[in-house]
Amino acid sequence: MEPPLGEDRSTQYSARRHSLGNTAASMTDPLLGGLSAADFLARHWQKAPRLIRQAIPGWASPITPDELAGLACEDGVESRLVTRRRGKWAVRHGPFDEADFSKLPAKDWTLLVQGVDLWEPEVAALRERFRFVPDWRLDDVMVSYAPAGGGVGAHVDQYDVFLLQGLGRRRWRIGGAAEIRPAWVPDQPLKLLADFQPAEEWVLEPGDMLYLPPGWAHDGVAEDDCLTFSIGFRAPSVAELAGRFAAAVADAEDEERRYSDPDLAPPANPGEIPDAAIERVRAYLADKLDDRRFLAGWLGSLLTEPKEEREAPPPRKRRPAGALRRAIGTRLAFARDGDGLVLFADGEAHPAPAEAAADAALLLCGVGRLKAEEAKAAWADPAAAALLDALLAQGAIEPAGKR
C-alpha cells in the first residue's frame, strides 16, 4: 500500500531546504538569537518581543535610499510619506516624483514602501530566511527610509513583524501588549496611541533585529539616516474571513436553490420563527463548512492572493529546457486532496492528483525550484506537464536562468 502523500515523497526536497534559506526546526540560528525555530516559535511567536543583536552579522542593505525613492515613484508600487511638523502629522500616498522629495525638510519624515520584495530580487531573497513560518503567513517586506527624527509615532500592528535594521540607527521604545481597542490621539491621520508608556528602549544598528508580536505597543525614531526592513505576516481578521467565505458560498450556490419546508404545519402563532426553520437554515450553511474540499479550495485561494496583480507573460512557443523556479513575488501553497493535492498559486487552484504532478508541486512549494533533471522528468509526465504549463502561463514559475 502506498504511504500517505508527503511522508515519503516529501523527503525528496527536505535535504535541499537549507540551501534556499529554510532553517531546520531543531537547528540554532543566529537570525533568531541562537534559538532553534521550534524554540523561537514556542517562546516568542505571538507571545513576547525578542531583541536579536547581529541577527545577520555584517549584513548590508541590498537597496539604497535613492533606489527606494525611485521605487516609490513607480506606478503600481504602494508607498507613503509621513511627515511631522509642530506636533501635527501628515500622510501622502505615492506614486511620487523627484520634486516631492526635493521639498522635504532635513529631518522628521519617513518614506515607507510596501512589497519591495516584489520588485527587488535581493529583498525577495531576504524573505527566504523567514520560512520557518509557513509561506502563506508571510505578507511582504516593507522598507522605510528616514532621516534623523523620522518615524510614524507610537502605534500597534495587528500582525507579527520582524524589524531588521539595514542602514544607520533607529531607537525603538517598546511598551506592553496594548488593549484590543486602545485610545487613539484625536484628529491625526495615523492611529497613534494616546497612552504610550515605554518599558524598554534599544538602539538598533545594521544587522540587528527586533521581533514584535501582534498588538505590542512600539515607537521607532531614526537617530540618523536609516533604512529599516519590516518583514510582516498576514493575519486576516475573523470578520474578513467570514465575509470572504460568505461571498465564496454565494458564488458557488445555484440561485435557483431555495429555502424549502415541505413538512410545514399550521403554526400556533404565525409570528414565530420555529426551531425547525432555524435548524434548516443552519444546515444549509453548515453544508459548506463541513465540505472540506470546498473549504480548503476557498482558503488556499484566499491565502495565496497576490498583493499586486501581475500581467500574464506572453504565450510560449515551446516549453523551456532546464531548471524552473518560482517567480519573484509568487505565493504558493498546497492542500492535500485524497491521494493527491491541490497547488494554489497567486489565488488560482491547480489540481495535482497524480504522483509526478504532486512531486513537482511539493518541490516548488518546498524549495522553490525544480532542478533540470526534475523538470525533465515532470515534462515527461502528462499530468505534471499540464501543471507546469499552467504555472508558466500564469507567470507563477519561470526558467531558472531568467534573472
Side-chain angles (χ1 to χ4, degrees):
M1 180 176 178
E2 184 179 350
L5 180 66
E7 289 185 7
D8 282 359
R9 293 200 302 231
S10 64
T11 61
Q12 295 180 49
Y13 67 85
S14 61
R16 295 166 49 200
R17 288 184 302 174
H18 188 69
S19 64
L20 279 90
N22 199 350
T23 308
S26 61
M27 295 176 60
T28 59
D29 188 355
L31 184 74
L32 302 177
L35 295 179
S36 68
D39 284 341
F40 175 84
L41 294 175
R43 297 182 193 179
H44 293 279
W45 182 257
Q46 302 200 335
K47 302 174 189 70
R50 183 170 177 83
L51 172 67
I52 304 163
R53 295 293 186 188
Q54 290 303 289
I56 308 179
W59 188 67
S61 170
I63 188 171
T64 67
D66 284 345
E67 289 169 338
L68 187 69
L71 196 56
C73 295
E74 298 288 340
D75 289 332
V77 176
E78 184 182 347
S79 58
R80 291 170 290 157
L81 265 174
V82 177
T83 57
R84 177 171 53 87
R85 186 176 183 182
R86 296 173 185 168
K88 287 291 184 181
W89 295 82
V91 180
R92 292 176 55 200
H93 295 269
F96 302 102
D97 57 38
E98 201 170 312
D100 292 314
F101 296 114
S102 66
K103 298 173 184 175
L104 290 169
K107 61 179 185 176
D108 297 340
W109 59 270
T110 300
L111 171 66
L112 306 102
V113 182
Q114 296 286 158
V116 177
D117 51 308
L118 299 177
W119 308 96
E120 297 292 334
E122 289 188 65
V123 179
L126 172 65
R127 67 180 281 164
E128 294 290 317
R129 293 174 175 262
F130 294 85
R131 296 187 75 202
F132 54 88
V133 177
D135 290 345
W136 52 267
R137 284 286 269 119
L138 204 155
D139 191 11
D140 73 346
V141 181
M142 182 186 76
V143 183
S144 64
Y145 167 76
V152 297
H155 65 286
V156 295
D157 296 316
Q158 298 304 325
Y159 52 83
D160 303 86
V161 63
F162 291 88
L163 301 160
L164 175 65
Q165 196 63 22
L167 177 73
R169 300 176 301 156
R170 185 179 288 273
R171 182 177 300 274
W172 288 101
R173 295 185 302 153
I174 308 300
E179 297 177 2
I180 294 177
R181 292 181 177 84
W184 308 112
V185 178
D187 303 321
Q188 296 286 1
L190 300 167
K191 281 192 170 183
L192 304 176
L193 291 169
D195 183 25
F196 175 59
Q197 299 180 8
E200 296 186 83
E201 184 174 313
W202 305 293
V203 174
L204 270 63
E205 299 187 351
D208 293 343
M209 187 169 72
L210 175 64
Y211 164 73
L212 291 174
W216 217 271
H218 59 287
D219 182 23
V221 178
E223 297 272 287
D224 47 27
D225 289 357
C226 78
L227 284 170
T228 302
F229 291 70
S230 301
I231 299 92
F233 291 79
R234 284 187 165 186
S237 68
V238 175
E240 180 188 357
L241 290 174
R244 296 292 297 272
F245 183 72
V249 171
D251 288 341
E253 276 296 322
D254 185 346
E255 185 66 23
E256 297 305 313
R257 187 184 182 212
R258 301 278 176 152
Y259 175 89
S260 64
D261 46 8
D263 55 349
L264 186 66
N269 185 324
E272 181 183 6
I273 301 173
D275 287 345
I278 296 170
E279 174 57 27
R280 189 173 286 112
V281 172
R282 188 206 64 78
Y284 288 152
L285 301 178
D287 279 349
K288 289 300 183 186
L289 280 172
D290 292 339
D291 184 343
R292 185 197 175 280
R293 177 170 289 182
F294 178 84
L295 191 62
W298 161 75
L299 190 60
S301 296
L302 173 68
L303 296 177
T304 58
E305 282 184 350
K307 282 189 73 71
E308 300 289 342
E309 292 296 331
R310 298 192 301 262
E311 291 185 10
R316 294 180 176 274
K317 294 181 179 179
R318 60 179 63 88
R319 288 168 172 169
L324 297 168
R325 68 180 165 204
R326 182 182 58 208
I328 186 172
T330 292
R331 298 182 183 277
L332 294 179
F334 71 89
R336 304 191 187 281
D337 184 21
D339 290 332
L341 55 84
V342 179
L343 176 68
F344 301 97
D346 288 341
E348 294 190 20
H350 300 279
E355 181 173 343
D359 287 344
L362 284 170
L363 287 166
L364 289 170
C365 287
V367 296
R369 63 188 293 131
L370 299 179
K371 293 180 179 179
E373 61 271 24
E374 293 164 342
K376 184 178 180 181
W379 286 124
D381 179 86
L387 173 65
L388 297 184
D389 280 335
L391 294 173
L392 284 165
Q394 186 184 347
I397 61 174
E398 63 185 11
K402 188 174 180 180
R403 65 175 192 270

